[in-house]
Amino acid sequence: MAGGVAMAADMSVSAAAPTGARSTGFIAGPQSITHSLDTATITQFNSVSCNAGGLHTDNAYLRRFTLGDFGIVTQFDLTSVDIGIEQAFGAGGSQPSSVNVYTIANGAALTYANMNLVASTPITVSDASLTVVNFPVTGSVVNPATDDLVVELFTPDGQTTGNSLFVGSNPNGQTGFDLTEHEKNTMK
């Protein structure tokens, strides 16, 4: 069993340290996976959200991980997700969000109809800017040979409550793509 952290839109996933003997496909200790070439830099005014006057509507940010690309060939147990925050401002000093973990068949079109929800974890995002925050999240991809991991950050409509959230990003490159709410509307 392999484990690690994943990063999407500067989102990382972590998995638990495995137990047992080391063998082919076995990764000793926690493993972090990311598509971001620079996980430490959050660039101001580099991100987007569906919003009006800076207060966001429902937004979802998705990142797909083909675990075999990271050398993971046995069960992957997610333990946390790192999320880059360009700006988060909640009317009360924080705001609700959730991290959803899905599996999807390798090579399947990225649509909600093709994804299987593994876990949904409510999180509280405190007011912050230009930082990366770690959130404990659980979920497993039992068979990376047949399934990919999809991690989604969902921010519910914050317009009536005065919440604003822009996910952190930078122009420093990535090895995979992000999917934002606008693009999400086409995957239904």
Side-chain angles (χ1 to χ4, degrees):
M1 171 171 32
V5 171
M7 295 194 80
D10 263 1
M11 190 183 307
S12 296
V13 176
S14 292
T19 58
R22 188 176 189 121
S23 64
T24 303
F26 183 84
I27 298 169
Q31 179 179 7
S32 294
I33 61 174
T34 183
H35 283 300
S36 300
L37 297 181
D38 177 355
T39 60
T41 303
I42 306 297
T43 303
Q44 191 168 8
F45 307 120
N46 195 65
S47 299
V48 298
S49 81
C50 296
N51 70 76
L55 303 178
H56 61 78
T57 60
D58 284 352
N59 276 260
Y61 304 88
L62 292 91
R63 179 74 89 160
R64 182 178 191 159
F65 298 90
T66 300
L67 297 175
D69 292 349
F70 298 93
I72 299 168
V73 297
T74 58
Q75 181 171 320
F76 184 80
D77 296 317
L78 183 65
T79 59
S80 67
V81 174
D82 290 340
I83 299 173
I85 304 294
E86 178 179 311
Q87 173 190 307
F89 176 81
S94 65
Q95 60 189 290
S97 295
S98 62
V99 174
N100 300 313
V101 177
Y102 302 90
T103 58
I104 187 169
N106 300 136
L110 187 61
T111 66
Y112 281 98
N114 288 339
M115 296 189 307
N116 300 302
L117 182 65
V118 174
S120 182
T121 304
I123 61 172
T124 300
V125 179
S126 298
D127 290 356
S129 63
L130 305 178
T131 191
V132 177
V133 182
N134 180 270
F135 295 98
V137 174
T138 60
S140 296
V141 177
V142 176
N143 189 353
T146 60
D147 292 317
D148 292 341
L149 168 69
V150 177
V151 178
E152 173 187 45
L153 171 65
F154 176 76
T155 60
D157 190 328
Q159 293 188 342
T160 59
T161 54
N163 294 333
S164 175
L165 191 143
F166 287 83
V167 171
S169 65
N170 64 54
N172 301 337
Q174 58 186 349
T175 60
F177 70 93
D178 294 324
L179 188 65
T180 62
E181 176 70 23
H182 173 72
E183 295 159 316
K184 180 182 119 174
N185 290 329
T186 65
M187 38 179 290
K188 294 180 181 177

